[in-house]
């Protein structure tokens, strides 16, 4: 592919062999061209083995190349299963909107998975054992959800009766911390875990039966539910006094830590916006607000300090001096003061 300005021709070409089983589709688009006498001249040249697109634009702004690749997962044939067909939608964007002499290149890849049509392999693999295990997991999670929900509802009823008793006999209200003693947080954690596990298991059954292809959503649901289950194991360690240190510490320090983090977040956001506005044109790590937040968070943990300083462009001496002051004050404030106070609170 050749990209040119000042009336030069942009060409995108590809070759396809005869008998190629994986169908490949390639489309080249000139997304935007500034108004000029030579803009909009677009022609296509075809031959038996090669196709060439040519567009002449003086001030080239961006080029988007889109094509699809198809592949087949043949490993399932070993298990006598119908194979999966993968369709990869590739998008390559050449962005020259800044006209800085450096063309940004971005590649996006989206995968669609579906059952192959008209397969040459017939039959299904024996996945009855996995299906039975999934059904057992579903039943256990549903039973756990019902029992935990019943316990939470009974706790709320008891909380309501306790509040009415105090109001009638002592003419006093019950504070929020006392009311929360009737609500077991571990049961709420288990309810959330059961909901995610049931949803993820249903999607997993659909994927194995070739009816669904939402692998990402299924993995997020099952992964999050697994995390919550392992966190819930800490509940049983709380029955032992010597193993209960972490839970007691978190319970005591959590309110103060949340208040402290709210105050720190205001200063942190101030540094994020300041770095994005001032250093964005001069540093690759400050190009967007999310990248600024990631860079500053890594600096708090002592990562990539030298690289952050070294990649700062020195085109503007004033901005370079400001960047040194900005980075040194942020590192000194958050590492030596904020982290120390955070540890002291815990």
């Amino acid at each position: 592919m050749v990209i040119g300005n000042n009336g030069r021709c942009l060409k995108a070409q590809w070759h396809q062999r005869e008998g190629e089983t994986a169908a490949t589709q390639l489309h080249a688009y000139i997304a935007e061209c500034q108004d000029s006498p030579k803009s909009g001249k677009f022609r296509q040249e075809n031959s038996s083995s090669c196709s060439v697109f040519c567009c002449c634009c003086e001030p080239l702004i961006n080029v988007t190349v889109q094509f699809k690749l198809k592949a087949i997962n043949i490993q399932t044939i070993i298990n006598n299963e119908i194979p999966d067909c993968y369709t990869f939608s590739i998008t390559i964007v050449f962005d020259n909107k800044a006209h800085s002499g450096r063309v940004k290149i971005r590649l996006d890849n989206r995968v669609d998975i579906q059952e192959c049509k008209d397969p040459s392999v017939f039959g299904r693999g024996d996945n009855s054992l996995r299906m039975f295990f999934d059904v057992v997991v579903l039943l256990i999670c549903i039973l756990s959800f019902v029992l935990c929900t019943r316990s939470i509802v009974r706790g709320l009823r008891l909380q309501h009766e306790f509040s009415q008793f105090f109001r009638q006999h002592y003419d006093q209200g019950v504070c929020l911390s006392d009311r929360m003693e009737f609500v077991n947080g571990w049961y709420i954690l288990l309810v959330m875990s059961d909901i995610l596990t049931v949803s993820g298991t249903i999607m997993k059954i659909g994927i194995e039966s070739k009816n669904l292809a939402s692998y990402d959503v299924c993995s997020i649901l099952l992964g999050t539910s697994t995390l919550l289950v392992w966190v819930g194991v800490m509940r049983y360690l709380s029955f032992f006094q010597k193993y209960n240190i972490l839970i007691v510490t978190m319970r005591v320090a959590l309110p103060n830590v949340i208040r402290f983090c709210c105050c720190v977040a205001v200063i942190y956001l101030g540094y994020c916006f300041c770095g994005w506005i001032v250093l964005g044109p001069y540093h690759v790590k400050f190009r967007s607000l999310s990248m600024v937040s990631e860079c500053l968070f890594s600096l708090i943990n002592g990562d990539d300090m030298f690289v952050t300083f070294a990649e700062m462009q020195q085109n503007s001496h004033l901005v370079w001096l400001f960047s040194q002051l900005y980075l040194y004050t942020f590192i000194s404030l958050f590492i030596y003061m904020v982290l120390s106070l955070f540890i002291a609170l815990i």
Side-chain angles (χ1 to χ4, degrees):
M1 178 172 294
V2 181
I3 300 177
N5 284 335
N6 299 326
R8 294 180 182 178
C9 192
L10 173 98
K11 294 184 179 180
Q13 61 182 0
W14 73 96
H15 298 268
Q16 184 172 356
R17 300 176 182 175
E18 289 188 14
E20 204 171 20
T21 55
T24 305
Q25 299 175 353
L26 178 61
H27 303 282
Y29 298 99
I30 306 303
E32 296 178 12
C33 278
Q34 294 178 355
D35 294 333
S36 66
K38 295 184 179 181
S39 65
K41 295 181 180 179
F42 186 82
R43 69 177 186 271
Q44 178 181 358
E45 301 174 2
N46 295 319
S47 63
S48 58
S49 61
C50 179
S51 296
V52 177
F53 286 93
C54 179
C55 179
C56 297
C57 298
E58 271 190 6
L60 179 66
I61 294 180
N62 67 57
V63 176
T64 301
V65 180
Q66 297 177 338
F67 59 95
K68 293 184 179 181
L69 298 175
K70 292 185 179 180
I72 300 175
N73 183 13
I74 61 175
Q75 290 184 348
T76 55
I77 298 178
I78 301 175
N79 299 324
N80 197 26
E81 295 182 9
I82 296 179
D84 292 328
C85 285
Y86 298 85
T87 302
F88 299 91
S89 300
I90 311 296
T91 302
I92 304 174
V93 179
F94 298 86
D95 189 359
N96 193 34
K97 292 181 180 179
H99 293 286
S100 60
R102 299 177 63 183
V103 179
K104 295 181 181 179
I105 302 176
R106 187 180 76 251
L107 187 145
D108 296 327
N109 181 17
R110 185 173 59 86
V111 183
D112 294 327
I113 306 173
Q114 57 186 354
E115 184 178 348
C116 294
K117 303 298 182 181
D118 298 327
S120 59
V121 180
F122 300 94
R124 299 275 183 178
D126 187 12
N127 59 352
S128 57
L129 183 60
R130 284 182 297 178
M131 187 69 68
F132 174 76
F133 178 76
D134 293 337
V135 173
V136 171
V137 170
L138 275 176
L139 295 177
I140 293 176
C141 290
I142 292 174
L143 179 61
S144 174
F145 173 80
V146 172
L147 295 177
C148 292
T149 304
R150 186 188 65 172
S151 300
I152 293 173
V153 171
R154 289 186 175 182
L156 293 175
R157 289 179 179 176
L158 184 59
Q159 175 198 106
H160 182 67
E161 294 177 0
F162 177 76
S163 301
Q164 285 186 342
F165 177 82
F166 253 70
R167 192 174 294 107
Q168 292 176 359
H169 292 79
Y170 299 100
D171 197 18
Q172 293 181 0
V174 182
C175 61
L176 180 62
S177 59
D178 292 336
R179 291 202 303 268
M180 293 305 296
E181 293 293 332
F182 294 91
V183 180
N184 195 328
W186 295 111
Y187 289 155
I188 299 177
L189 187 70
L190 289 175
V191 167
M192 295 173 58
S193 174
D194 292 333
I195 294 175
L196 294 176
T197 304
V198 170
S199 303
T201 305
I202 293 175
M203 294 191 67
K204 177 177 176 292
I205 294 174
I207 291 173
E208 290 183 348
S209 60
K210 312 296 183 181
N211 295 322
L212 294 175
S214 304
Y215 285 87
D216 294 335
V217 178
C218 179
S219 61
I220 291 174
L221 292 175
L222 293 179
T224 307
S225 65
T226 305
L227 172 63
L228 296 180
V229 167
W230 281 101
V231 172
V233 174
M234 295 178 59
R235 174 196 177 193
Y236 302 99
L237 297 178
S238 63
F239 295 112
F240 302 95
Q241 186 176 2
K242 294 183 178 180
Y243 294 93
N244 200 23
I245 299 176
L246 178 61
I247 300 174
V248 173
T249 303
M250 291 177 59
R251 185 179 300 172
V252 174
L254 188 61
N256 293 328
V257 169
I258 292 177
R259 299 187 190 99
F260 180 76
C261 289
C262 291
C263 298
V264 172
V266 176
I267 305 176
Y268 184 80
L269 288 175
Y271 270 94
C272 287
F273 282 105
C274 179
W276 179 39
I277 295 171
V278 180
L279 304 181
Y282 300 93
H283 202 295
V284 76
K285 292 186 177 181
F286 291 82
R287 294 291 172 83
S288 64
L289 192 60
S290 60
M291 294 178 66
V292 174
S293 179
E294 294 169 0
C295 177
L296 295 182
F297 188 79
S298 63
L299 288 177
I300 294 176
N301 294 277
D303 296 335
D304 293 336
M305 283 192 179
F306 177 77
V307 177
T308 305
F309 280 95
E311 290 185 355
M312 183 64 199
Q313 299 179 11
Q314 300 185 15
N315 299 336
S316 174
H317 189 65
L318 180 62
V319 176
W320 183 82
L321 288 177
F322 178 84
S323 68
Q324 302 301 303
L325 179 64
Y326 172 84
L327 293 174
Y328 276 116
T329 54
F330 176 82
I331 293 172
S332 301
L333 176 64
F334 276 82
I335 291 182
Y336 301 130
M337 184 180 295
V338 173
L339 289 183
S340 299
L341 289 175
F342 187 83
I343 296 173
L345 284 175
I346 297 177

